[in-house]
Amino acid sequence: MSTVFEKIISREIPAEFVHEDDFCVAVRDVDPQAPHHLLVIPKKVIARVGDVEPDDQALLGHLLLAVGKVAEKEGLKKNGFRVVINHGKNGGESVPHLHLHLLGGRQMNWPPG
């Protein structure tokens, strides 16, 4: 069974792509929690951040580099942005496919909630 993110990556489900390379995509979130809310999703299926393996180290670094590129494209670097990774039910995970939330365009509060 494919996750919604696998279907987005394969173009079975439409999404607004703002970045794509060999290892990941970045799309606009359909339920934005900030003026800029994008998801950076690896093409390799990893259920959640706590399930990464040592072989995933380069991919994880690549995802963070992609976040920086997308933040630059979105004009978020000057004033700042937040990156969130959810793990499990209590962490707010809703899709069992690792992804990074890139949020910006407003002041982020702490604690996040």
Side-chain angles (χ1 to χ4, degrees), residues 12 17 22 24 28 33-34 39 47 53 55 66-68 72 85 87 89-90 94 97 99 111:
E12 293 175 55
F17 284 73
D22 291 342
C24 69
R28 296 200 187 281
Q33 302 301 305
L39 304 174
E53 299 289 335
D55 289 348
V67 163
E72 180 76 37
I85 302 173
H87 177 105
K89 179 183 172 191
N90 285 350
S94 59
H97 186 139
H99 57 286

Side-chain angles (χ1 to χ4, degrees), residues 29 31-38 102-108:
D29 196 302
D31 184 24
Q33 302 301 305
H36 295 266
H37 187 171
L38 300 105
L102 170 58
L103 301 141
R106 68 168 169 83
Q107 177 63 52
M108 299 292 150

Side-chain angles (χ1 to χ4, degrees), residues 41-99:
I41 309 164
K43 291 181 176 179
K44 177 182 178 182
V45 178
I46 301 169
R48 57 199 49 89
V49 69
D51 294 341
V52 298
E53 299 289 335
D55 289 348
D56 298 319
Q57 182 174 354
L59 175 60
L60 295 174
H62 183 85
L63 295 173
L64 291 175
L65 290 170
V67 163
K69 288 178 185 176
V70 173
E72 180 76 37
K73 280 184 190 177
E74 295 289 308
L76 299 175
K77 281 193 165 183
K78 180 181 178 193
N79 291 322
F81 56 89
R82 178 172 286 168
V83 179
V84 176
I85 302 173
N86 300 323
H87 177 105
K89 179 183 172 191
N90 285 350
E93 178 187 302
S94 59
V95 178
H97 186 139
L98 174 67
H99 57 286

